Amino acid sequence: MRSYKWILATVAVALTVNAILAAPVGEEEPEILYYDNVRDDQGYFYSYETKDGQSRREQGYIDPESGILRVTGSYKYIGTDGETYEVYYEADENGYRIVGKPPPPSAPGISNTVLLSLVG
């Protein structure tokens, strides 16, 4: 009888620990405010923004002269210090690089009309 109580107590403790470890951490998943994604033969464009202030915009196209995928974009987030940070980047045959200026408003092959339609 004593071993039965010990086994029951062990199982109860194990279930309690499991329930505590499986509980949500308290932070919600970022809720998506908007998401756009356009792809065609010339390239792609996507963007999103979440409720917690994160956002990303990216466009890519195949350079017709070199056949290389070229990507420009940016992402934004709110740091733990409350400041908003925005990073601009580009990627091509030389790899991924952070750049100090905003990406161009459109890439060859993706018309401004398509890009402006995504802005809303």
Side-chain angles (χ1 to χ4, degrees):
M1 188 71 164
R2 181 178 279 197
S3 65
Y4 176 72
K5 288 182 181 180
W6 183 83
I7 291 173
L8 188 58
T10 303
V11 169
V13 168
L15 288 174
T16 302
V17 168
N18 188 35
I20 290 170
L21 293 177
V25 178
E27 292 192 24
E28 297 178 19
E29 288 289 318
E31 187 176 313
I32 295 177
L33 298 176
Y34 76 85
Y35 174 79
D36 288 318
N37 188 4
V38 175
R39 292 182 288 170
D40 60 23
D41 292 340
Q42 287 77 41
Y44 70 91
F45 173 84
Y46 77 88
S47 65
Y48 68 82
E49 183 174 358
T50 61
K51 185 174 76 173
D52 65 356
Q54 297 179 49
S55 66
R56 182 170 178 170
R57 298 175 59 89
E58 182 175 296
Q59 60 189 18
Y61 67 97
I62 303 292
D63 185 329
E65 293 178 16
S66 65
I68 294 172
L69 174 65
R70 300 195 184 278
V71 176
T72 58
S74 65
Y75 59 90
K76 182 169 58 171
Y77 63 95
I78 299 172
T80 55
D81 58 0
E83 295 291 320
T84 300
Y85 296 93
E86 190 161 16
V87 177
Y88 296 97
Y89 61 89
E90 58 186 31
D92 54 23
E93 72 274 16
N94 298 314
Y96 173 90
R97 296 175 306 286
I98 294 175
V99 294
K101 60 182 179 200
S106 69
I110 300 177
S111 71
N112 282 337
T113 306
V114 171
L115 293 177
L116 290 174
S117 72
L118 298 172
V119 175

